[in-house]
Amino acid sequence: MAPIGFIGIGIMGEGMASRLISQGVAGSDDTPMVVWNRTSSKCNDLKERFPDKNIEVKDSAREVVESCGVTFSILSTPEASRAVFEGEDGTLAGVSAGKFIVDCATLAESDMKRMDEQVKSKGGQFLEAPVSGSK
């Protein structure tokens, strides 16, 4: 199976990524977990929590998307989401035909529609899957 990507290893993302790893969905030799966060130490902390799992830390969101068939993303604010999504080395820069982006941030409908159109224009698929809460 292809690697699974995760962008945003913050309060919510760390728990979500950890669950995918602890339940065997990602983090194996066959299905590595590929991660990136604006604060790289959070990725390294996740890797240290699961020393026996296959977790790859990338240098950009673009590299995560390029490496994975499905990439989850959850960032803390609308501003952070847009900057990471549309940045030069951001999520959208890595999208190509057949890529799936699952955005779990709680954003405005207009943001999600824009992101959906941008991903589809590059041949990818976009799924809006917002979560709420913290800690």
Side-chain angles (χ1 to χ4, degrees):
M1 197 166 171
I4 295 176
F6 214 101
I7 297 169
I9 308 296
I11 293 170
M12 297 293 285
E14 188 276 332
M16 294 168 70
S18 292
R19 191 67 163 172
L20 291 172
I21 295 165
S22 69
Q23 296 304 300
V25 175
S28 68
D29 288 338
D30 292 334
T31 309
M33 172 66 82
V34 181
V35 298
W36 177 83
N37 193 73
R38 292 174 294 158
T39 305
S40 61
S41 63
K42 292 185 179 185
C43 293
N44 295 325
D45 291 346
L46 180 69
K47 196 169 179 169
E48 287 175 15
R49 270 191 63 211
F50 297 97
D52 59 331
K53 299 297 183 180
N54 188 353
I55 301 170
E56 300 174 18
V57 178
K58 295 294 186 181
D59 292 326
S60 70
R62 176 188 52 80
E63 290 179 14
V64 173
V65 176
E66 288 174 344
S67 300
C68 301
V70 176
T71 300
F72 294 86
S73 178
I74 184 163
L75 292 147
S76 59
T77 66
E79 296 79 17
S81 289
R82 187 167 194 162
V84 169
F85 190 81
E86 296 177 357
E88 185 176 328
D89 273 333
T91 305
L92 188 60
V95 174
S96 59
K99 300 288 184 178
F100 288 82
I101 305 297
V102 181
D103 198 286
C104 301
T106 304
L107 302 173
E109 180 181 358
S110 59
D111 293 328
M112 289 296 191
K113 285 183 177 182
R114 183 187 72 252
M115 293 161 77
D116 178 63
E117 290 168 3
Q118 291 170 317
V119 170
K120 285 182 178 174
S121 75
K122 296 185 82 175
Q125 295 293 317
F126 182 83
L127 177 63
E128 176 185 357
V131 298
S132 64
S134 64
K135 298 183 187 179

